[in-house]
Amino acid sequence: MVLVGALIFGAIALAHMAPFPFLFEAFRPARSLWRVPPAPGAPPTIYLTFDDGPNPNWTPPLLDALREAEIRATFFLIDDYVTAETAPIVRRIAEQGHAIGLHSGTRRPMVLPPDALAAQLRQAADRISAITGREPCRLFRPHAGWRSRSLYQGLDRAGYRLAGWSWGMWDWHWWQKPQGDRVARRLAAKASAGDIIVIHDGHHKNPSADRRHAAEVVRRLGPELKARGYAFGALCGDAGELRQEDRQIPDVK
């Protein structure tokens, strides 16, 4: 009985925190996005996503690297970090053709009533729209992937999908400071078509955290994967649909 209880408890815990689709996703997989199915006739595509920004120190050099590599990406922004200081960075993200999604720096969305979460998402989207002139993608990435039934209900009411990532495709480095060359090598070795990769250009507790590795990963990973025949895309569209956009990136500074 103890073993059964432990298994049940483990399954419940994983349902809320597993970094991959699990119980909450089993019955309604369309509510979340963890990998992008290849489009017929399209080249194998990788989706770079950046979490916890905008970072006033390290998001601009990351945008430089993406422009130089001619890569479009998706930025999941923390609403509290969208300020008068960082508004020009948010505007630049959009002007360079990248997608913008919503993110949380805490696990609080898990316990919010669905209507409260929906209202919070709409408010954050309105702020981004006012800065960029267009609505962000209807994608929300919860902090560390932590989720709940009420969170999914809130996303449904706001017309959003949960955005996850492909298994192991992140810049986590076992409590060590991420190094761009190491992260790029590991991601390149595991990359496959449709992968959603998570790299952090910010930090959920420190809006100005040192994230210099993000730009270095792009400069190393982009050319290597392109040489292997991969393209890069952005996650975008109303209700979380995907859109392949023109890959020519405007020269915006």
Side-chain angles (χ1 to χ4, degrees):
M1 289 297 293
V2 174
L3 177 60
V4 172
L7 290 173
I8 292 173
F9 177 82
I12 293 172
L14 278 175
H16 291 278
M17 60 183 288
F20 49 82
F22 198 58
L23 292 181
F24 283 123
E25 294 75 37
F27 300 102
R28 291 183 62 188
R31 300 166 83 191
S32 61
L33 180 67
W34 297 85
R35 190 179 181 84
V36 182
T45 303
I46 301 290
Y47 298 85
L48 295 184
T49 67
F50 297 93
D51 282 10
D52 292 347
N55 183 325
N57 297 327
W58 297 106
T59 303
L62 168 60
L63 288 167
D64 292 341
L66 290 167
R67 186 185 64 242
E68 293 161 10
E70 296 188 329
I71 290 175
R72 288 184 185 275
T74 305
F75 286 77
F76 287 93
L77 305 183
I78 294 177
D79 184 53
D80 286 345
Y81 294 173
V82 178
T83 64
E85 178 188 11
T86 61
I89 300 173
V90 176
R91 189 175 301 113
R92 182 183 169 191
I93 291 171
E95 288 175 345
Q96 284 192 202
H98 303 296
I100 295 177
L102 306 183
H103 190 36
S104 171
T106 73
R107 299 184 180 93
R108 187 166 178 265
M110 289 180 62
V111 298
L112 284 177
D115 285 340
L117 176 58
Q120 189 176 94
L121 294 175
R122 294 188 190 104
Q123 184 178 39
D126 287 346
R127 296 183 68 230
I128 290 172
S129 297
I131 294 170
T132 66
R134 66 172 188 251
E135 291 187 9
C137 294
R138 294 188 173 232
L139 292 172
F140 173 75
R141 177 171 283 163
H143 174 63
W146 285 59
R147 53 210 187 270
S148 65
R149 182 171 178 267
S150 63
L151 184 145
Y152 266 119
Q153 290 174 335
L155 295 183
D156 286 346
R157 294 179 192 184
Y160 276 69
R161 291 176 74 189
L162 184 145
W165 54 85
S166 300
W167 171 250
M169 301 302 284
W170 51 64
D171 57 358
W172 173 256
H173 197 56
W174 296 107
W175 297 285
Q176 299 178 33
K177 185 176 179 180
Q179 299 293 326
D181 56 344
R182 294 180 183 178
V183 173
R185 281 199 303 270
R186 180 168 57 78
L187 293 176
K190 297 182 65 174
S192 61
D195 275 343
I196 299 173
I197 295 174
V198 178
I199 301 169
H200 293 80
D201 63 320
H203 186 274
H204 65 284
K205 291 184 178 179
N206 179 4
S208 300
D210 185 345
R211 295 302 195 187
R212 70 187 67 205
H213 74 281
E216 185 177 357
V217 170
V218 169
R219 289 194 169 98
R220 291 174 179 269
L221 186 65
E224 178 168 348
L225 292 184
K226 283 188 175 185
R228 286 160 51 184
Y230 285 98
F232 288 86
L235 307 177
C236 204
D238 289 343
E241 289 91 357
L242 303 168
R243 185 174 68 205
Q244 287 284 86
E245 298 191 55
D246 178 6
R247 291 186 174 83
Q248 182 61 41
I249 296 192
D251 187 12
V252 177
K253 296 185 179 180

